[in-house]
Amino acid sequence: MAVATALLAVLLVPPLLTPGADSGEGSQVRALRVLVPNSPGGGYDITARTAAKAMEDADLLRNAEVFNLPGAGGTVGLGRTVGERGNGKLIMSMGLGVVGAVYTNKSPNSLLDTTPIAKLIEEPDIVVVAKDSPYTSMQQLVDAWKANPGTVTVGGGSAPGGPDHLAPMLIAKAVGLQPKSVNYIPFDGGGELLASVLGGKVAFGVSGVGEYRDQIQAGTLRVLAVTSKDRIQGIDAPTLKQAGVDVEFTNWRGIVAPPGITQTDRDKLVDLFARLQKTPQWAEALQRNGWTDAFAPGDQFRTFLENENKRVATVLKDLGLA
C-alpha cells in the first residue's frame, strides 16, 4: 500500500525543473528547488528552510524554493527525487528517518540510488510531555510505562524505522520492555506530533530538540530527558543515562540530489554547502536550533550512508522490527 501510494503521488505531482533549466553562473548555483519529504514543521522542513534562508542571506543563492511532498516516511519524496534523474537543480532534505523508512515501507528506491551532497547536522531527540502531564520525571514515566505498556502511548515524528521510532524502542529495551509491546503512533513530522502531545492524545512524544524549542521556552512542553551524551544548553532536563536509562542516541540530517546529475552540477552543490558552513548565518542557526555541525561532503557522505543503511537494518532486526 505504501509503495502504491508513493507511486501515485509521484505521478500526480507536477514536473519539477528540467535538468537544463537555469544552468547557473560560473561555478555557483543561483537557483534551486528543495524537496522536503515530510510535512511543514518537521525536522527536514526546518533544516531545509533554515539552510535556504542562510544561503540567501549570505548571498550564496539568489532563489531557493522549498516545497513539501510528504508520505510513507519520506519515501514518496525519495521516489520523486530518484525519478528526477539528471536534474541538477533539485535537492532533497533527508536524514536517518528516510533510511529506516526504506526498510519498513519496502521502498523500491534507496538513498544509495541518489547523489549524496552533504551531511549537515546531528541533533539529539527529546522525550516530552505536555505541561499538565502527570509525568514530571523520566522515572515516573518509565514506571507507568512498564506497568502498562499498551496504554502509555508514545508518539513520534517519523515512521517506523525513523529516529523518533528507534529512540523509544531502544529506551523500551533498556528498561526491560519488549519493543513489540510499545504502542507507537507515527506522525508525519514533529509539527503533526505537537498537537497530539499538547492535547494529551499520546502519553509522551519523542522528537528533535530544534522542532520544539519555542514551546519548551514558552512552558507548554516539559522535557523529561534528552537522548544525547551531554545535557543541552537551555534545556532543563537530564540525559537518559543521568535519568537511569542506558541509551545514547543522535539523529542526523543531510542533502541528496537525483541520480545521474553531471559532475559539474554535483561539484557546484557540494561547494554550495561547503561555503554555507563558513557563514555566520549558519553558525547562528546551529546555535539557535541546538544542532551540532556534522558536515561531511560528497564521497564522505556516501560512505556514511552506506554504513547507516547496514546499521539501521541491523538495529531493526535486533529489535524484532524487521
Side-chain angles (χ1 to χ4, degrees):
M1 180 66 71
V3 172
T5 302
L7 291 174
L8 180 61
V10 168
L11 291 172
L12 293 178
V13 173
L16 303 177
L17 288 176
T18 58
D22 186 6
S23 59
E25 300 172 7
S27 63
Q28 293 189 354
V29 178
R30 304 313 296 168
L32 201 58
R33 297 196 78 194
V34 187
L35 188 158
V36 175
N38 66 0
S39 300
Y44 303 147
D45 186 69
I46 292 173
T47 304
R49 294 181 190 279
T50 300
K53 186 176 187 309
M55 286 177 179
E56 290 178 342
D57 290 348
D59 199 28
L60 300 180
L61 196 63
R62 287 181 186 166
N63 181 38
E65 179 191 349
V66 181
F67 68 102
N68 300 79
L69 181 59
T75 56
V76 171
L78 174 62
R80 182 68 198 201
T81 301
V82 173
E84 285 290 320
R85 184 177 186 86
N87 187 352
K89 301 304 175 186
L90 171 72
I91 57 175
M92 184 178 85
S93 173
M94 45 67 74
L96 177 57
V98 180
V99 178
V102 165
Y103 289 102
T104 57
N105 285 281
K106 295 180 172 55
S107 169
N109 302 115
S110 162
L111 285 166
L112 299 182
D113 296 325
T114 67
T115 301
I117 300 302
K119 178 186 174 189
L120 295 181
I121 63 156
E122 290 182 349
E123 177 188 43
D125 267 355
I126 50 176
V127 178
V128 295
V129 295
K131 66 177 181 180
D132 55 355
S133 167
Y135 308 120
T136 59
S137 71
M138 193 67 197
Q139 188 60 57
Q140 284 183 339
L141 174 60
V142 168
D143 289 344
W145 201 13
K146 291 173 71 173
N148 203 336
T151 61
V152 180
T153 53
V154 51
S158 52
D164 300 349
H165 173 246
L166 291 177
M169 295 302 164
L170 292 170
I171 293 170
K173 186 176 182 181
V175 301
L177 287 171
Q178 290 294 322
K180 286 186 177 180
S181 73
V182 174
N183 189 354
Y184 176 80
I185 302 175
F187 295 86
D188 198 1
E192 289 191 2
L193 170 63
L194 178 61
S196 289
V197 173
L198 293 176
K201 294 181 179 179
V202 293
F204 68 103
V206 177
S207 192
V209 63
E211 297 171 65
Y212 292 159
R213 271 194 178 270
D214 290 345
Q215 290 78 17
I216 294 166
Q217 291 173 358
T220 56
L221 285 179
R222 178 189 304 142
V223 183
L224 300 184
V226 300
T227 67
S228 51
K229 178 181 178 181
D230 301 310
R231 285 180 176 248
I232 301 172
Q233 185 176 1
I235 304 292
D236 184 20
T239 67
L240 284 171
K241 288 192 174 183
Q242 289 172 338
V245 181
D246 190 17
V247 171
E248 184 181 311
F249 182 87
T250 304
N251 188 15
W252 59 266
R253 299 192 191 104
I255 299 292
V256 296
I261 65 174
T262 67
Q263 186 66 38
T264 297
D265 281 343
R266 175 187 177 275
D267 290 346
K268 284 182 181 181
L269 290 169
V270 171
D271 180 64
L272 175 65
F273 284 94
R275 286 184 289 130
L276 172 66
Q277 306 306 304
K278 301 175 183 178
T279 65
Q281 289 87 351
W282 185 244
E284 190 275 331
L286 292 175
Q287 182 177 14
R288 182 178 70 251
N289 290 286
W291 295 338
T292 299
D293 182 16
F295 184 63
D299 291 339
Q300 292 179 34
F301 189 32
R302 174 174 291 281
T303 299
F304 176 81
L305 282 178
E306 291 170 351
N307 292 333
E308 281 293 271
N309 270 277
K310 296 174 185 175
R311 183 179 74 87
V312 169
T314 299
V315 170
L316 289 173
K317 288 177 182 176
D318 287 347
L319 294 174
L321 301 170

